[in-house]
């Protein structure tokens, strides 16, 4: 009886953890789409920004790409990349 209870609790824990993990990925998908859109904008309009601003923005976008599990951090990196571009506009 004890073995069944432990297995049941383990199964419930795994199921709940999987739900939370998939929810976080879904939340950051929008951020990741925006990261790619901004990267395309930088590539298409590179003459509008200084080389240093592009480099700093790309570094922020690289950080945002690695923050799939942390949507708040992804948004911060995206915001910082946009700020770098605003500061480095020609």
């Amino acid at each position: 009886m004890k073995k069944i209870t432990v297995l049941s609790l383990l199964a419930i824990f795994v199921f709940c953890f999987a739900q939370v993990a998939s929810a976080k990925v879904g939340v950051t998908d929008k951020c990741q789409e925006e990261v790619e859109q901004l990267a395309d904008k930088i590539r298409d309009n590179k003459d509008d920004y200084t080389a240093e601003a592009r480099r700093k923005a790309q570094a922020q976008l690289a950080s945002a790409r690695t923050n799939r599990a942390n949507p708040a951090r992804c948004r911060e990196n995206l915001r910082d990349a946009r700020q770098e571009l605003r500061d480095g506009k020609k």
Side-chain angles (χ1 to χ4, degrees), residues 4-41:
I4 293 172
T5 306
V6 172
L7 288 175
S8 298
L9 289 175
L10 182 61
I12 292 170
F13 176 75
V14 169
F15 178 74
C16 291
F17 182 74
Q19 295 255 338
V20 170
S22 67
K24 285 188 176 185
V25 170
V27 168
T28 59
D29 284 345
K30 177 72 173 157
C31 184
Q32 296 300 316
E33 288 174 14
E34 290 182 34
V35 166
E36 293 310 316
Q37 289 172 356
L38 187 57
D40 291 342
K41 179 181 175 183

Side-chain angles (χ1 to χ4, degrees), residues 10-90:
L10 182 61
I12 292 170
F13 176 75
V14 169
F15 178 74
C16 291
F17 182 74
Q19 295 255 338
V20 170
S22 67
K24 285 188 176 185
V25 170
V27 168
T28 59
D29 284 345
K30 177 72 173 157
C31 184
Q32 296 300 316
E33 288 174 14
E34 290 182 34
V35 166
E36 293 310 316
Q37 289 172 356
L38 187 57
D40 291 342
K41 179 181 175 183
I42 293 169
R43 190 173 34 258
D44 294 342
N45 303 311
K46 65 181 179 181
D47 294 335
D48 295 345
Y49 309 105
T50 64
E52 182 179 0
R54 288 193 320 267
R55 181 184 54 75
K56 288 179 179 180
Q58 290 290 2
Q60 289 294 335
L61 293 179
S63 294
R65 285 183 185 105
T66 62
N67 285 319
R68 278 183 100 54
N70 189 345
R73 190 72 182 125
C74 179
R75 295 308 244 165
E76 285 178 27
N77 292 130
L78 190 57
R79 183 196 65 221
D80 292 345
R82 287 181 176 138
Q83 184 62 45
E84 292 295 343
L85 293 176
R86 279 192 294 274
D87 292 345
K89 189 125 176 131
K90 287 184 180 179

